[in-house]
Amino acid sequence: MTTSPIRTGRTGAGTSTVEATIAARRAAGGGALVGYLPVGFPTLTDSIDAAVAIASNGVDVLELGLPYSDPVMDGPVIQAATQQALANGFRLRHGFEAVAAITAQVDTPVLIMTYWNPVLQYGVDRFADDLAAAGGAGLITPDLIPDDAQAWLDASERAGLDRVFLAAPSSSDERLVQAVTRSRGFVYAVSTMGITGARSDVDSAARVLVSRLREAGSTSACVGLGISTPAQVREVLQYADGAIVGSALVKALSDGGVAAVATLAAELAAGARDIRAAV
């Protein structure tokens, strides 16, 4: 399948739209806000509306999670949401439908977050082609390490898609270099060991991890797991290029619907816009 260059994760100059978006936010004196929502929760239509709403209220990069039956990294809020989506009949093709519907309404780059097994089952090249055709920017693959990613490296290169690998506080220096050199878009810096979920304090290990990523050559590192308030977004953006918020947005959508998640997105975005004023 051939895809139009307008419908991929690259700009006309061959640069990742995700990376360009993050760089623009940093140049403006703030940082990027990456917002996660699962596809199909509470319904497919609602998940599309919610993604458009948070993009329209300040989220710079959208991360859409594909519901999966064995979500080893997901905390209870996201697990409950994805299990509901699966119970409602979510199928992988709905992910592409959601991306196409969202990118038709907003210019915000859309990354899919997925465990690797669904991609393998679907077919790596087929997945890359269908994601690019839908207007997607790339993949975040939490359980795929760079050593085992050659098939995805090849497919994403051909299709013009970003690939976001994870880096953890426990990662060796060698592993961090691999994550930096093989990621495109950004490196996902896991703030603390464990599963996703809002925390009162973002682990201080995140600051050390981002420093190590800088030493490994990273110019685009985003911190995730545990960020839930505008103050935490502002804190993280003192040293990182982006802050990733997931569970707090999913909880807002669960508790108050699209209007509530839009309101929270606007509040979080306010914490990302001018970090120079932060103490």
Side-chain angles (χ1 to χ4, degrees):
M1 178 188 298
T2 55
T3 58
S4 166
I6 298 174
R7 301 288 286 176
T8 71
R10 306 253 195 113
T11 65
T15 303
S16 158
T17 54
V18 170
E19 189 170 349
T21 297
I22 294 170
R25 285 301 183 199
R26 293 298 277 176
L33 176 62
V34 182
Y36 167 93
L37 290 172
V39 180
F41 175 78
T43 68
L44 181 59
T45 298
D46 288 336
S47 66
I48 293 168
D49 291 345
V52 170
I54 65 173
S56 301
N57 281 275
V59 166
D60 300 303
V61 177
L62 288 166
E63 177 187 347
L64 298 185
L66 297 186
Y68 183 53
S69 58
D70 188 23
V72 294
M73 275 190 61
D74 295 336
V77 172
I78 293 177
Q79 280 195 29
T82 57
Q83 291 304 309
Q84 180 175 328
L86 289 169
N88 289 344
F90 172 83
R91 296 293 182 268
L92 196 148
R93 61 181 171 80
H94 294 144
F96 304 122
E97 292 173 9
V99 171
I102 293 162
T103 56
Q105 298 177 68
V106 294
D107 292 330
T108 307
V110 181
L111 292 165
I112 288 288
M113 196 291 285
T114 179
Y115 295 97
W116 188 237
N117 189 57
V119 180
L120 281 178
Q121 295 298 317
Y122 193 81
V124 177
D125 286 313
R126 179 187 174 202
F127 194 105
D129 288 337
D130 287 355
L131 179 56
L139 286 185
I140 300 171
T141 49
D143 62 342
L144 179 67
I145 60 175
D147 310 60
D148 299 332
Q150 193 59 54
W152 173 235
L153 293 172
D154 293 342
S156 61
E157 193 66 33
R158 177 183 56 77
L161 295 169
D162 285 346
R163 56 231 177 198
V164 177
F165 293 107
L166 271 62
S170 60
S171 298
S172 67
D173 290 343
E174 179 183 8
R175 181 74 70 197
L176 294 186
V177 170
Q178 289 180 335
V180 169
T181 57
R182 297 180 186 179
S183 289
R184 186 170 58 222
F186 63 87
V187 178
Y188 192 127
V190 179
S191 66
T192 186
M193 302 302 291
I195 59 175
T196 62
R199 294 174 173 84
S200 59
D201 295 304
V202 176
D203 197 324
S204 61
R207 188 182 296 267
V208 175
L209 176 57
V210 171
S211 177
R212 293 177 62 208
L213 286 168
R214 299 285 190 226
E215 292 173 359
S218 175
T219 59
S220 189
C222 298
V223 172
L225 271 70
I227 303 170
S228 60
T229 68
Q232 289 175 339
V233 168
R234 186 176 290 261
E235 174 191 350
V236 164
L237 293 179
Q238 293 298 306
Y239 57 88
D241 303 296
I244 305 168
V245 180
S247 294
L249 289 169
V250 177
K251 187 175 188 306
L253 178 60
S254 178
D255 292 346
V258 173
V261 77
T263 297
L264 178 57
E267 293 170 355
L268 293 166
R273 289 302 171 250
D274 190 356
I275 62 172
R276 291 170 297 191
V279 176

